[in-house]
Amino acid sequence: MSKTFYIETFGCQMNAHDSEKVIGTLEHEGYSQVADEAEAGLILYNTCSIRDKAEQKVFHRLNEYKRMQGEGKKFAVLGCVAQQEGERIFDRAPYVSLVAGSASYRNLPSMLARLEAGETRITGLDDRQTDQTFDTEFTVRSNPHRGYITIIEGCDKFCAYCVVPYTRGKERSRTSASVLVEARRMADLGYTDIQLLGQNVNSWRDPSGRLSFAELLTAVGNIPGIRRVRFTTSHPRDFTRDIVEAIDATPTLCDHIHLPVQSGSSSVLKAMSREYTREWYLERMSWIHAATRDISITSDMIVGFPGETDADFEETITLLGAVRYDAVFAFKFSPRPNTPAVHMADSIPEAVKNERLRILNDRQREIQREHYARHLGQVQEVMVESYNPARNQVVGRSSQNKTVNFTTAQLVSANPPVGSYLNVRVTQTLPNCLVGEALPPAEGEVSFVPVQRPQPFVVLN
Ligand code: SAH
Ligand code: SF4
Ligand code: F3S
């Protein structure tokens, strides 16, 4: 087998970052990444199972691999569908040689050795008993400025609709020391923007007992060279006031909190096993609204959960107005294997789900149109992400995670380097982005020269 590999990744940021760790592990084992599946000896498919009959899509894609099986290639299925479907994948796609869920990646080197020795039906399907995390110093990050660090893996919350506790194993945290070593190493490499990851990032508990989550945020934010720290996804249950205080006190902590509510109705939240009420959630919102900084709040929502009445849905709509989110990712409930909700009748007709989704998105768009207007005339610091030649605009991101499209008439260089920071005056606001004009850089402003690496194929949720 040629020691070249091609990897495709679907799912959340945790999956995207897992792939960066898998790529690093493979490279350390002597493999090299290729951009075209036709050239690869090993094809890896890192899968997501969160919604919408995900496993059917995986089997469909595996069927496409079938035509390549005569070419001496080997196939591996990783991620959440791998864990969920397990050995059934070999039965339906016998040309697949390796099936491994994320809780087993630390064993990848030995699984690869068995693959090279010609073994088939190799599995890494750790169940919920694993208490190990997958830490590696070989991580290959495709972006040289902004990088992820997973601080907590798995989930113990068991929301009634969700596959994650079954696909990612039990909740397990890394020590503060190991997180800080990785963050310092990234700062030394020139990273300025760090995003701490976890399915419930704020459920992180230091196994060494040294730091609270808010203290970890502050410690990462105080590393010299780090200009921005983000963290996602927070869970309302474990959301404490000191997180807001840490953001208020530490300028490098970005003014953005993603705190998915899922529903505005306490009875739906109960049926979902979210273990908080509308009032509990709104109390946390009041802490954030009372902060000195303008902290942007975003959320995920599910419409059409079994039993959701018109009145329940109306409570979700009124919650939008009470919180004034800067972005909402709304999904139609989708029944998933192994979850308690799969046994509840999927009682809301598809047409009603579609209608609720449309109403929610329309209302939220209105709120964003009004709420983004607060930025008009402000000067925002943006990190440069790309250049849009068609519109002659630079595309950047604000601390609040908003897209800022801006022109550069006042700058010497029309194309400030990707990864550099600039101040932009906001001249127009739209429901999903800000538009502005870059101000000349302040004296001593640092720019970073980008390093190019091949981009892996990633589709984020
Ligand atoms: N741990 C995070 C969410 C992770 S999954 C949290 O608890 O908030 C990302 C989002 O996918 C969820 O917030 C939820 O809105 C959505 N989701 C998960 N399972 C779903 C399902 N079965 N149907 C529809 N949406 C779902
Ligand atoms: Fe899924 Fe709930 Fe865990 Fe989030 S907290 S990953 S929604 S089970
Ligand atoms: Fe998908 Fe697994 Fe992430 S189901 S959303 S890849 S945790």
Side-chain angles (χ1 to χ4, degrees):
M1 172 176 95
S2 129
K3 288 188 92 167
T4 48
F5 72 95
Y6 170 84
I7 185 164
E8 249 173 50
T9 305
F10 289 81
C12 58
Q13 289 151 319
M14 304 266 296
N15 237 25
H17 184 48
D18 278 346
S19 282
E20 295 182 327
K21 296 197 266 186
V22 168
I23 292 169
T25 306
L26 282 159
E27 290 191 355
H28 185 68
E29 297 297 318
Y31 287 75
S32 49
Q33 189 181 0
V34 291
D36 183 354
E37 59 191 8
E39 290 163 25
L42 172 61
I43 295 183
L44 303 116
Y45 186 20
N46 191 2
T47 59
C48 170
S49 174
I50 201 78
R51 286 176 292 268
D52 303 332
K53 307 192 174 102
E55 44 291 325
Q56 286 179 21
K57 286 181 204 153
V58 169
F59 285 117
H60 183 78
R61 182 76 179 112
L62 289 180
N63 244 344
E64 292 172 16
Y65 289 164
K66 198 169 168 182
R67 66 180 156 79
M68 292 189 269
Q69 63 177 323
E71 300 163 22
K73 294 185 192 306
K74 301 210 175 189
F75 302 94
V77 183
L78 308 179
C80 291
V81 176
Q83 183 69 42
Q84 177 187 298
E85 297 298 312
E87 303 207 4
R88 280 197 294 270
I89 293 179
F90 299 133
D91 300 337
R92 288 186 61 177
Y95 39 92
V96 170
S97 308
L98 169 66
V99 171
S102 63
S104 306
Y105 294 163
R106 65 185 186 287
N107 302 323
L108 266 178
S110 63
M111 291 191 271
L112 289 169
R114 290 167 60 194
L115 193 69
E116 286 161 26
E119 250 187 80
T120 54
R121 295 183 76 109
I122 305 159
T123 55
L125 298 169
D126 271 355
D127 62 13
R128 290 190 45 82
Q129 297 322 306
T130 318
D131 51 16
Q132 310 250 330
T133 52
F134 175 40
D135 307 340
T136 167
E137 59 191 291
F138 305 121
T139 306
V140 167
R141 293 183 169 87
S142 53
N143 182 320
H145 313 288
R146 166 182 304 140
Y148 297 128
I149 301 181
T150 304
I151 65 166
I152 173 169
E153 297 179 21
C155 178
D156 285 346
K157 298 274 194 290
F158 291 97
C159 302
Y161 50 80
C162 183
V163 290
V164 173
Y166 311 94
T167 62
R168 295 220 155 223
K170 78 175 181 198
E171 208 162 83
R172 50 212 192 272
S173 295
R174 283 172 70 178
T175 61
S176 52
S178 109
V179 173
L180 289 169
V181 164
E182 184 163 5
R184 281 194 205 104
R185 197 174 290 146
M186 286 171 68
D188 291 343
L189 288 169
Y191 283 86
T192 59
D193 182 330
I194 285 183
Q195 186 159 340
L196 304 178
L197 293 183
Q199 276 306 336
N200 297 302
V201 72
N202 60 325
S203 308
W204 179 83
R205 294 294 169 267
D206 191 350
S208 64
R210 282 200 197 123
L211 300 184
S212 68
F213 175 66
E215 287 166 342
L216 179 74
L217 290 180
T218 307
V220 176
N222 286 335
I223 293 172
I226 298 303
R227 291 179 67 147
R228 286 185 172 181
V229 182
R230 303 180 186 282
F231 52 99
T232 194
T233 295
S234 297
H235 193 289
R237 213 34 245 180
D238 296 322
F239 193 83
T240 47
R241 200 166 196 162
D242 57 355
I243 299 172
V244 183
E245 289 161 0
I247 295 176
D248 252 348
T250 317
T252 50
L253 300 186
C254 287
D255 37 20
H256 172 214
I257 296 171
H258 184 58
L259 196 61
V261 66
Q262 313 300 356
S263 168
S265 150
S266 292
S267 61
V268 173
L269 289 169
K270 187 155 198 265
M272 287 176 165
S273 307
R274 287 292 284 182
E275 294 187 357
Y276 55 82
T277 59
R278 176 189 175 98
E279 291 67 35
W280 164 286
Y281 183 84
L282 283 174
E283 187 186 15
R284 272 122 203 95
M285 293 296 108
S286 71
W287 299 342
I288 303 172
H289 286 145
T292 314
R293 289 171 74 183
D294 173 11
I295 301 176
S296 167
I297 310 167
T298 57
S299 185
D300 298 344
M301 303 273 194
I302 296 176
V303 297
F305 188 78
E308 183 190 64
T309 62
D310 285 342
D312 290 322
F313 176 64
E314 188 50 33
E315 290 205 72
T316 294
I317 296 299
T318 59
L319 187 91
L320 296 179
V323 176
R324 292 164 77 75
Y325 290 111
D326 274 336
V328 168
F329 305 92
F331 310 102
K332 288 185 282 183
F333 166 71
S334 120
R336 307 300 298 126
N338 307 324
T339 64
V342 83
H343 305 298
M344 304 174 188
D346 186 8
S347 54
I348 313 294
E350 191 62 18
V352 175
K353 286 185 187 169
N354 285 333
E355 182 62 1
R356 288 183 183 168
L357 190 64
R358 189 190 61 73
I359 293 170
L360 193 160
N361 284 332
D362 285 354
R363 175 73 187 114
Q364 179 55 27
R365 195 178 163 81
E366 267 321 296
I367 289 172
Q368 283 176 219
R369 188 188 305 283
E370 289 162 20
H371 200 38
Y372 277 37
R374 72 192 188 278
H375 299 305
L376 195 65
Q378 288 179 347
V379 173
Q380 296 248 338
E381 185 196 71
V382 303
M383 186 202 212
V384 176
E385 287 193 337
S386 60
Y387 178 63
N388 179 347
R391 311 187 76 186
N392 199 20
Q393 277 179 331
V394 181
V395 184
R397 194 161 293 276
S398 71
S399 168
Q400 289 194 333
N401 209 32
K402 293 191 170 112
T403 301
V404 185
N405 298 312
F406 60 97
T407 48
T408 54
Q410 299 187 57
L411 298 186
V412 181
S413 156
N415 289 337
V418 170
S420 59
Y421 291 84
L422 289 168
N423 285 324
V424 171
R425 182 171 312 277
V426 178
T427 54
Q428 187 192 356
T429 65
L430 297 167
N432 274 312
C433 70
L434 307 176
V435 181
E437 167 65 33
L439 302 178
E443 226 171 294
E445 191 72 50
V446 195
S447 291
F448 298 93
V449 181
V451 184
Q452 291 304 332
R453 280 194 65 98
Q455 297 286 326
F457 180 96
V458 179
V459 178
L460 284 176
N461 276 333

PDB file of all heavy atoms in Angstrom, residues 25 30 85 104 167 170 189 206 218 229 239 270 302 324 333 337 354 371-372 384 392 394:
ATOM      1  N   THR A  25      -0.851  12.549  13.115  1.00  0.00           N
ATOM      2  CA  THR A  25      -0.461  11.191  13.518  1.00  0.00           C
ATOM      3  C   THR A  25      -0.016  10.397  12.296  1.00  0.00           C
ATOM      4  O   THR A  25       1.010   9.707  12.326  1.00  0.00           O
ATOM      5  CB  THR A  25      -1.658  10.491  14.208  1.00  0.00           C
ATOM      6  OG1 THR A  25      -2.107  11.328  15.270  1.00  0.00           O
ATOM      7  CG2 THR A  25      -1.282   9.132  14.749  1.00  0.00           C
ATOM      8  N   GLY A  30       4.792   8.297   8.837  1.00  0.00           N
ATOM      9  CA  GLY A  30       5.450   8.182   7.524  1.00  0.00           C
ATOM     10  C   GLY A  30       4.529   8.356   6.323  1.00  0.00           C
ATOM     11  O   GLY A  30       4.942   8.140   5.184  1.00  0.00           O
ATOM     12  N   GLU A  85     -22.271   2.989  13.861  1.00  0.00           N
ATOM     13  CA  GLU A  85     -22.601   1.817  13.032  1.00  0.00           C
ATOM     14  C   GLU A  85     -21.654   0.644  13.281  1.00  0.00           C
ATOM     15  O   GLU A  85     -22.002  -0.504  13.010  1.00  0.00           O
ATOM     16  CB  GLU A  85     -22.588   2.204  11.549  1.00  0.00           C
ATOM     17  CG  GLU A  85     -23.631   3.241  11.178  1.00  0.00           C
ATOM     18  CD  GLU A  85     -25.055   2.750  11.414  1.00  0.00           C
ATOM     19  OE1 GLU A  85     -25.393   1.627  10.990  1.00  0.00           O
ATOM     20  OE2 GLU A  85     -25.840   3.488  12.055  1.00  0.00           O
ATOM     21  N   SER A 104     -11.089   6.326  20.182  1.00  0.00           N
ATOM     22  CA  SER A 104     -10.022   5.320  19.975  1.00  0.00           C
ATOM     23  C   SER A 104      -8.828   5.866  19.210  1.00  0.00           C
ATOM     24  O   SER A 104      -7.885   5.111  18.946  1.00  0.00           O
ATOM     25  CB  SER A 104     -10.561   4.138  19.158  1.00  0.00           C
ATOM     26  OG  SER A 104     -11.705   3.613  19.740  1.00  0.00           O
ATOM     27  N   THR A 167     -21.697   8.546  20.577  1.00  0.00           N
ATOM     28  CA  THR A 167     -20.655   8.464  19.548  1.00  0.00           C
ATOM     29  C   THR A 167     -19.293   8.941  20.039  1.00  0.00           C
ATOM     30  O   THR A 167     -18.281   8.600  19.452  1.00  0.00           O
ATOM     31  CB  THR A 167     -21.032   9.300  18.305  1.00  0.00           C
ATOM     32  OG1 THR A 167     -21.149  10.664  18.672  1.00  0.00           O
ATOM     33  CG2 THR A 167     -22.335   8.818  17.689  1.00  0.00           C
ATOM     34  N   LYS A 170     -17.625   9.060  27.124  1.00  0.00           N
ATOM     35  CA  LYS A 170     -17.950   9.852  28.312  1.00  0.00           C
ATOM     36  C   LYS A 170     -17.084  11.112  28.389  1.00  0.00           C
ATOM     37  O   LYS A 170     -16.034  11.201  27.754  1.00  0.00           O
ATOM     38  CB  LYS A 170     -17.824   9.003  29.567  1.00  0.00           C
ATOM     39  CG  LYS A 170     -16.449   8.765  30.084  1.00  0.00           C
ATOM     40  CD  LYS A 170     -16.558   8.005  31.419  1.00  0.00           C
ATOM     41  CE  LYS A 170     -15.185   7.771  31.994  1.00  0.00           C
ATOM     42  NZ  LYS A 170     -15.153   6.733  33.013  1.00  0.00           N
ATOM     43  N   LEU A 189       4.684  29.542  17.828  1.00  0.00           N
ATOM     44  CA  LEU A 189       4.671  29.318  16.380  1.00  0.00           C
ATOM     45  C   LEU A 189       4.039  30.491  15.624  1.00  0.00           C
ATOM     46  O   LEU A 189       3.975  30.484  14.401  1.00  0.00           O
ATOM     47  CB  LEU A 189       3.868  28.047  16.048  1.00  0.00           C
ATOM     48  CG  LEU A 189       4.536  26.719  16.415  1.00  0.00           C
ATOM     49  CD1 LEU A 189       3.541  25.571  16.278  1.00  0.00           C
ATOM     50  CD2 LEU A 189       5.753  26.471  15.516  1.00  0.00           C
ATOM     51  N   ASP A 206     -10.680  20.700  35.674  1.00  0.00           N
ATOM     52  CA  ASP A 206      -9.244  20.393  35.662  1.00  0.00           C
ATOM     53  C   ASP A 206      -8.992  19.105  36.448  1.00  0.00           C
ATOM     54  O   ASP A 206      -9.213  19.069  37.663  1.00  0.00           O
ATOM     55  CB  ASP A 206      -8.498  21.563  36.326  1.00  0.00           C
ATOM     56  CG  ASP A 206      -7.002  21.475  36.119  1.00  0.00           C
ATOM     57  OD1 ASP A 206      -6.532  20.419  35.640  1.00  0.00           O
ATOM     58  OD2 ASP A 206      -6.319  22.467  36.428  1.00  0.00           O
ATOM     59  N   THR A 218      -8.681  32.757  31.317  1.00  0.00           N
ATOM     60  CA  THR A 218      -7.816  33.898  31.624  1.00  0.00           C
ATOM     61  C   THR A 218      -6.351  33.527  31.400  1.00  0.00           C
ATOM     62  O   THR A 218      -5.590  34.312  30.819  1.00  0.00           O
ATOM     63  CB  THR A 218      -8.046  34.343  33.085  1.00  0.00           C
ATOM     64  OG1 THR A 218      -9.451  34.550  33.250  1.00  0.00           O
ATOM     65  CG2 THR A 218      -7.301  35.606  33.414  1.00  0.00           C
ATOM     66  N   VAL A 229      -9.000  34.746  22.241  1.00  0.00           N
ATOM     67  CA  VAL A 229      -9.356  33.411  22.735  1.00  0.00           C
ATOM     68  C   VAL A 229     -10.861  33.252  22.619  1.00  0.00           C
ATOM     69  O   VAL A 229     -11.625  34.096  23.096  1.00  0.00           O
ATOM     70  CB  VAL A 229      -8.939  33.208  24.217  1.00  0.00           C
ATOM     71  CG1 VAL A 229      -9.285  31.803  24.692  1.00  0.00           C
ATOM     72  CG2 VAL A 229      -7.456  33.485  24.405  1.00  0.00           C
ATOM     73  N   PHE A 239     -22.988  26.984  32.975  1.00  0.00           N
ATOM     74  CA  PHE A 239     -22.539  28.349  32.683  1.00  0.00           C
ATOM     75  C   PHE A 239     -22.541  29.187  33.958  1.00  0.00           C
ATOM     76  O   PHE A 239     -23.588  29.479  34.525  1.00  0.00           O
ATOM     77  CB  PHE A 239     -23.416  28.999  31.613  1.00  0.00           C
ATOM     78  CG  PHE A 239     -22.793  30.245  31.081  1.00  0.00           C
ATOM     79  CD1 PHE A 239     -21.834  30.189  30.083  1.00  0.00           C
ATOM     80  CD2 PHE A 239     -23.113  31.476  31.621  1.00  0.00           C
ATOM     81  CE1 PHE A 239     -21.213  31.338  29.627  1.00  0.00           C
ATOM     82  CE2 PHE A 239     -22.499  32.634  31.167  1.00  0.00           C
ATOM     83  CZ  PHE A 239     -21.553  32.555  30.163  1.00  0.00           C
ATOM     84  N   LYS A 270     -37.767  20.360  29.169  1.00  0.00           N
ATOM     85  CA  LYS A 270     -37.859  19.207  30.079  1.00  0.00           C
ATOM     86  C   LYS A 270     -37.897  17.915  29.268  1.00  0.00           C
ATOM     87  O   LYS A 270     -37.163  16.967  29.556  1.00  0.00           O
ATOM     88  CB  LYS A 270     -39.120  19.349  30.936  1.00  0.00           C
ATOM     89  CG  LYS A 270     -39.225  18.322  32.016  1.00  0.00           C
ATOM     90  CD  LYS A 270     -40.095  18.839  33.157  1.00  0.00           C
ATOM     91  CE  LYS A 270     -39.855  18.026  34.404  1.00  0.00           C
ATOM     92  NZ  LYS A 270     -40.756  16.965  34.629  1.00  0.00           N
ATOM     93  N   ILE A 302     -33.765  23.970  18.115  1.00  0.00           N
ATOM     94  CA  ILE A 302     -34.415  22.857  17.420  1.00  0.00           C
ATOM     95  C   ILE A 302     -35.903  23.162  17.347  1.00  0.00           C
ATOM     96  O   ILE A 302     -36.511  23.497  18.373  1.00  0.00           O
ATOM     97  CB  ILE A 302     -34.189  21.529  18.171  1.00  0.00           C
ATOM     98  CG1 ILE A 302     -32.696  21.178  18.185  1.00  0.00           C
ATOM     99  CG2 ILE A 302     -35.002  20.406  17.541  1.00  0.00           C
ATOM    100  CD1 ILE A 302     -32.343  19.941  18.991  1.00  0.00           C
ATOM    101  N   ARG A 324     -32.114  38.785  22.033  1.00  0.00           N
ATOM    102  CA  ARG A 324     -31.491  39.521  20.923  1.00  0.00           C
ATOM    103  C   ARG A 324     -30.144  38.907  20.547  1.00  0.00           C
ATOM    104  O   ARG A 324     -29.072  39.484  20.753  1.00  0.00           O
ATOM    105  CB  ARG A 324     -31.346  41.009  21.252  1.00  0.00           C
ATOM    106  CG  ARG A 324     -32.703  41.693  21.342  1.00  0.00           C
ATOM    107  CD  ARG A 324     -32.631  43.027  22.023  1.00  0.00           C
ATOM    108  NE  ARG A 324     -32.093  44.088  21.164  1.00  0.00           N
ATOM    109  CZ  ARG A 324     -32.764  44.676  20.184  1.00  0.00           C
ATOM    110  NH1 ARG A 324     -33.989  44.286  19.907  1.00  0.00           N
ATOM    111  NH2 ARG A 324     -32.232  45.646  19.491  1.00  0.00           N
ATOM    112  N   PHE A 333     -36.057  19.161  14.119  1.00  0.00           N
ATOM    113  CA  PHE A 333     -35.767  17.933  14.876  1.00  0.00           C
ATOM    114  C   PHE A 333     -35.619  16.768  13.917  1.00  0.00           C
ATOM    115  O   PHE A 333     -36.424  16.581  13.004  1.00  0.00           O
ATOM    116  CB  PHE A 333     -36.903  17.641  15.866  1.00  0.00           C
ATOM    117  CG  PHE A 333     -36.822  16.243  16.424  1.00  0.00           C
ATOM    118  CD1 PHE A 333     -35.816  15.901  17.317  1.00  0.00           C
ATOM    119  CD2 PHE A 333     -37.733  15.266  16.027  1.00  0.00           C
ATOM    120  CE1 PHE A 333     -35.722  14.609  17.810  1.00  0.00           C
ATOM    121  CE2 PHE A 333     -37.645  13.970  16.519  1.00  0.00           C
ATOM    122  CZ  PHE A 333     -36.634  13.643  17.420  1.00  0.00           C
ATOM    123  N   PRO A 337     -30.646   7.457  15.758  1.00  0.00           N
ATOM    124  CA  PRO A 337     -30.557   6.122  16.350  1.00  0.00           C
ATOM    125  C   PRO A 337     -30.026   6.172  17.783  1.00  0.00           C
ATOM    126  O   PRO A 337     -29.212   7.046  18.104  1.00  0.00           O
ATOM    127  CB  PRO A 337     -29.544   5.391  15.451  1.00  0.00           C
ATOM    128  CG  PRO A 337     -29.192   6.288  14.338  1.00  0.00           C
ATOM    129  CD  PRO A 337     -29.839   7.603  14.544  1.00  0.00           C
ATOM    130  N   ASN A 354     -41.177  22.784   8.759  1.00  0.00           N
ATOM    131  CA  ASN A 354     -40.652  23.740   7.774  1.00  0.00           C
ATOM    132  C   ASN A 354     -41.162  25.143   8.043  1.00  0.00           C
ATOM    133  O   ASN A 354     -40.417  26.116   7.986  1.00  0.00           O
ATOM    134  CB  ASN A 354     -41.061  23.325   6.350  1.00  0.00           C
ATOM    135  CG  ASN A 354     -40.244  22.151   5.859  1.00  0.00           C
ATOM    136  OD1 ASN A 354     -39.103  21.957   6.298  1.00  0.00           O
ATOM    137  ND2 ASN A 354     -40.817  21.350   4.971  1.00  0.00           N
ATOM    138  N   HIS A 371     -30.369  44.739  15.423  1.00  0.00           N
ATOM    139  CA  HIS A 371     -29.368  44.664  16.486  1.00  0.00           C
ATOM    140  C   HIS A 371     -27.963  44.970  15.957  1.00  0.00           C
ATOM    141  O   HIS A 371     -27.134  45.529  16.685  1.00  0.00           O
ATOM    142  CB  HIS A 371     -29.437  43.263  17.103  1.00  0.00           C
ATOM    143  CG  HIS A 371     -28.845  43.175  18.474  1.00  0.00           C
ATOM    144  ND1 HIS A 371     -28.977  44.170  19.407  1.00  0.00           N
ATOM    145  CD2 HIS A 371     -28.097  42.211  19.071  1.00  0.00           C
ATOM    146  CE1 HIS A 371     -28.352  43.818  20.513  1.00  0.00           C
ATOM    147  NE2 HIS A 371     -27.801  42.641  20.328  1.00  0.00           N
ATOM    148  N   TYR A 372     -27.685  44.617  14.708  1.00  0.00           N
ATOM    149  CA  TYR A 372     -26.358  44.897  14.143  1.00  0.00           C
ATOM    150  C   TYR A 372     -26.144  46.402  13.967  1.00  0.00           C
ATOM    151  O   TYR A 372     -25.010  46.865  13.897  1.00  0.00           O
ATOM    152  CB  TYR A 372     -26.159  44.179  12.799  1.00  0.00           C
ATOM    153  CG  TYR A 372     -25.717  42.729  12.901  1.00  0.00           C
ATOM    154  CD1 TYR A 372     -26.200  41.907  13.911  1.00  0.00           C
ATOM    155  CD2 TYR A 372     -24.814  42.189  11.989  1.00  0.00           C
ATOM    156  CE1 TYR A 372     -25.810  40.584  14.004  1.00  0.00           C
ATOM    157  CE2 TYR A 372     -24.407  40.857  12.079  1.00  0.00           C
ATOM    158  CZ  TYR A 372     -24.915  40.058  13.081  1.00  0.00           C
ATOM    159  OH  TYR A 372     -24.526  38.756  13.173  1.00  0.00           O
ATOM    160  N   VAL A 384      -7.754  39.716   9.576  1.00  0.00           N
ATOM    161  CA  VAL A 384      -7.939  39.522   8.141  1.00  0.00           C
ATOM    162  C   VAL A 384      -7.989  38.029   7.819  1.00  0.00           C
ATOM    163  O   VAL A 384      -7.134  37.254   8.266  1.00  0.00           O
ATOM    164  CB  VAL A 384      -6.794  40.196   7.349  1.00  0.00           C
ATOM    165  CG1 VAL A 384      -6.932  39.910   5.859  1.00  0.00           C
ATOM    166  CG2 VAL A 384      -6.776  41.693   7.622  1.00  0.00           C
ATOM    167  N   ASN A 392     -13.611  43.703  -4.528  1.00  0.00           N
ATOM    168  CA  ASN A 392     -12.485  44.517  -4.095  1.00  0.00           C
ATOM    169  C   ASN A 392     -12.565  44.830  -2.591  1.00  0.00           C
ATOM    170  O   ASN A 392     -12.375  45.960  -2.156  1.00  0.00           O
ATOM    171  CB  ASN A 392     -12.428  45.805  -4.927  1.00  0.00           C
ATOM    172  CG  ASN A 392     -11.058  46.444  -4.843  1.00  0.00           C
ATOM    173  OD1 ASN A 392     -10.088  45.750  -4.495  1.00  0.00           O
ATOM    174  ND2 ASN A 392     -10.965  47.726  -5.124  1.00  0.00           N
ATOM    175  N   VAL A 394     -11.683  43.349   1.511  1.00  0.00           N
ATOM    176  CA  VAL A 394     -10.983  42.413   2.387  1.00  0.00           C
ATOM    177  C   VAL A 394     -12.032  41.850   3.347  1.00  0.00           C
ATOM    178  O   VAL A 394     -12.958  42.556   3.754  1.00  0.00           O
ATOM    179  CB  VAL A 394      -9.856  43.135   3.163  1.00  0.00           C
ATOM    180  CG1 VAL A 394      -9.109  42.151   4.062  1.00  0.00           C
ATOM    181  CG2 VAL A 394      -8.893  43.803   2.196  1.00  0.00           C
TER     182      VAL A 394
END
